[in-house]
Amino acid sequence: MKDFLQKFFPDVSKKQDEGTNQYCKFDSQILTLFTSSLYVAGLLASFVASYVTRNFGRKPSMLAGGVSFLIGAGINGGAENVAMLIVGRILLGVGVGFANQAVPVYLSEMAPAKYRGALNIMFQLAITIGILCANLINYGTGKITPWGWRLSLGLAAVPAIIMTLGSAFLPDTPNSMIERGEVEKGRQMLQRIRGVEAVDEEFNDIVKASEEAKQVQHPWRNILQRRYRPHLVMAIMIPFFQQLTGINAIMFYAPVLFTTLGYSSDASLYSAVITGGVNVLATFVSIAVVDRVGRRKLFLEAGVQMFIAQVVIGAILGANFGLQGTGNIDKTSAIVVVVVICVYVSAFAWSWGPLGWLVPSEIFPLEIRSAGQSINVSVNLFFTFVIAQAFLSMLCHFKFGIFLFFAGWVVIMSLFVYFFLPETKNVPIEEMDRVWRAHRFWGRFIPPVDESGLKQSYIKSGDVELGPSNGAH
């Protein structure tokens, strides 16, 4: 928004009036720090959230995240200088770190196996609805001079209040209750959320997993063991690849990108609303098919779609702006770019968007679940920070090649999924070991089962090695 740029980033505002290189109109490290500081804070907060989630439950983590987000929204709405903006963003980041740590785990533990994919993706659906609402709010408040930006930033308090009040009334998960010694409450909660009295099989699985988990005094050390190698690799590579799809570069800076393409301020915000709407609708596609089609097919189909879209965007920008960035894009080409961006966003929204959170949340055994989810969140937030901080500068220097850069990464991540990610649909969360054991590559890392089909579980806790567990998996 022009009023916002003039107040806090006058150098960037000046570039808008000077007809500078189209690719470099918004290249400012301070401006990108305003965006990216949230994700550094979220990264650091996720480690604290891991401890809170494991020792006090999933519910307190969500509650703490909501309160922090609420305070951050208030500071941002009342900001008088860049320092206040960044402090507010840091508090928003703490809220994001706690929420991203606790919510996917909460959903995976509460959901029945056959609905786990769809219910977990509702986390991503809420994100996409939030993005769309933010775009609509920006479009509306952008017309209010000179304080519309305050209303835009301050309205983040609305989802913060919903999150705070909502988490205050939520029950904790049976897994968390049992893990913290509230075994009978855990059984009652499991009966309540499953809607039946006969939950012995699932209950016993959770209890046995909890007993094993309690022997693990150092989950961060244990996740480095050979038997958890596939889990650790996925906890790192999936969030890493999710950010290198380039989606956040487009969604964070959609108005900037459309302004670069020659749209006016209002038109660029309107175009961002369109991409936000596509994001929401495509997420419903994922909810509808993820537990029938499976995770792998969605990943692979979307990889082809995203690759083609990014190559087309890069080609159109290259043909119109060239390497110098001094050309102009004609109206037809600009419309085509918006359409192709929508094609790209839709592919991400039914694949790497929701599945990037779903798959890591469902693959970790209870004894390393908090550590694994914390790694997943921290890697995600770290590379979100890197992309957010670097994109405008990369756009300035890579020019149209930035989209070819992301297209190349889409090829790499699709090959990774094809060769290394097993299908996890409809597998109970406490029985995920059998998926890894059956995989042609990862099977070598997972301990074998004996003749009776019982898992040989050797979990080192400090210097103590436990014998075989009695849990049938």
Side-chain angles (χ1 to χ4, degrees), residues 58 105-114 116 173-179 190 194 199-213 227-228 231 361-370 424 426-437 446 449 453-455 457 459 469-473:
R58 288 46 165 158
V105 172
Y106 184 93
L107 292 171
S108 288
E109 290 180 343
M110 292 294 260
K114 64 180 180 178
R116 189 175 62 243
T173 70
N175 309 63
S176 179
M177 291 177 177
I178 293 167
E179 187 179 20
L190 188 61
R194 296 293 179 258
V199 294
D200 288 350
E201 184 176 353
E202 184 177 2
F203 175 76
N204 290 335
D205 274 347
I206 296 173
V207 169
K208 292 183 176 82
S210 178
E211 289 171 352
E212 290 182 356
R227 62 174 297 165
Y228 299 126
H231 311 79
S361 75
E362 67 185 3
I363 63 173
F364 300 119
L366 186 60
E367 63 267 17
I368 61 164
R369 191 168 297 157
S370 61
T424 56
N426 297 330
V427 180
I429 197 169
E430 306 302 338
E431 298 182 17
M432 203 62 71
D433 264 8
R434 63 183 174 86
V435 173
W436 299 109
R437 189 176 291 110
I446 309 299
V449 293
L454 301 181
K455 183 176 74 170
S457 175
I459 305 173
S469 93
N470 293 321
H473 284 237

Side-chain angles (χ1 to χ4, degrees), residues 116-132:
R116 189 175 62 243
L119 291 175
N120 200 294
I121 288 175
M122 293 187 76
F123 172 67
Q124 178 67 17
L125 176 64
I127 292 174
T128 62
I129 292 172
I131 292 170
L132 176 60

Side-chain angles (χ1 to χ4, degrees), residues 221-457:
R221 183 191 303 170
N222 279 277
I223 201 171
L224 298 177
Q225 291 180 10
R226 177 181 173 85
R227 62 174 297 165
Y228 299 126
R229 195 66 46 78
H231 311 79
L232 180 61
V233 169
M234 295 301 163
I236 294 171
M237 297 309 295
I238 289 179
F240 169 72
F241 284 140
Q242 186 189 53
Q243 295 312 310
L244 283 170
T245 59
I247 186 64
N248 276 336
I250 288 177
M251 298 309 289
F252 289 168
Y253 299 117
V256 171
L257 188 60
F258 292 129
T259 300
T260 297
L261 292 172
Y263 287 90
S264 67
S265 177
D266 280 355
S268 65
L269 286 171
Y270 184 70
S271 299
V273 170
I274 293 173
T275 59
V278 170
N279 198 17
V280 173
L281 293 175
T283 303
F284 280 106
V285 174
S286 190
I287 292 173
V289 304
V290 66
D291 288 315
R292 291 188 286 115
V293 172
R295 284 64 161 153
R296 278 170 52 87
K297 289 182 180 178
L298 284 176
F299 272 131
L300 295 173
E301 182 281 331
V304 174
Q305 190 171 325
M306 287 191 293
F307 173 79
I308 294 172
Q310 286 171 322
V311 169
V312 171
I313 294 168
I316 293 175
L317 294 185
N320 285 272
F321 291 145
L323 289 173
Q324 301 304 315
T326 55
N328 291 302
I329 190 168
D330 62 87
K331 184 175 181 180
T332 300
S333 295
I335 292 172
V336 171
V337 170
V338 174
V339 171
V340 177
I341 285 177
C342 289
V343 170
Y344 163 81
V345 168
S346 67
F348 176 86
W350 63 56
S351 64
W352 281 96
L355 301 185
W357 293 108
L358 168 62
V359 173
S361 75
E362 67 185 3
I363 63 173
F364 300 119
L366 186 60
E367 63 267 17
I368 61 164
R369 191 168 297 157
S370 61
Q373 183 65 6
S374 188
I375 292 171
N376 174 50
V377 171
S378 60
V379 171
N380 188 296
L381 290 173
F382 174 75
F383 283 100
T384 302
F385 161 74
V386 170
I387 296 297
Q389 187 66 27
F391 175 71
L392 294 181
S393 181
M394 290 171 71
L395 179 63
C396 182
H397 293 90
F398 284 25
K399 302 176 174 62
F400 63 87
I402 186 66
F403 295 97
L404 305 182
F405 170 81
F406 288 128
W409 278 107
V410 169
V411 173
I412 294 171
M413 65 185 69
S414 297
L415 291 173
F416 176 84
V417 168
Y418 182 80
F419 288 108
F420 296 109
L421 182 66
E423 182 55 67
T424 56
K425 70 172 182 177
N426 297 330
V427 180
I429 197 169
E430 306 302 338
E431 298 182 17
M432 203 62 71
D433 264 8
R434 63 183 174 86
V435 173
W436 299 109
R437 189 176 291 110
H439 192 270
R440 58 189 174 187
F441 179 80
W442 296 120
R444 71 187 74 175
F445 294 93
I446 309 299
V449 293
D450 62 23
E451 293 180 357
S452 64
L454 301 181
K455 183 176 74 170
Q456 297 290 331
S457 175

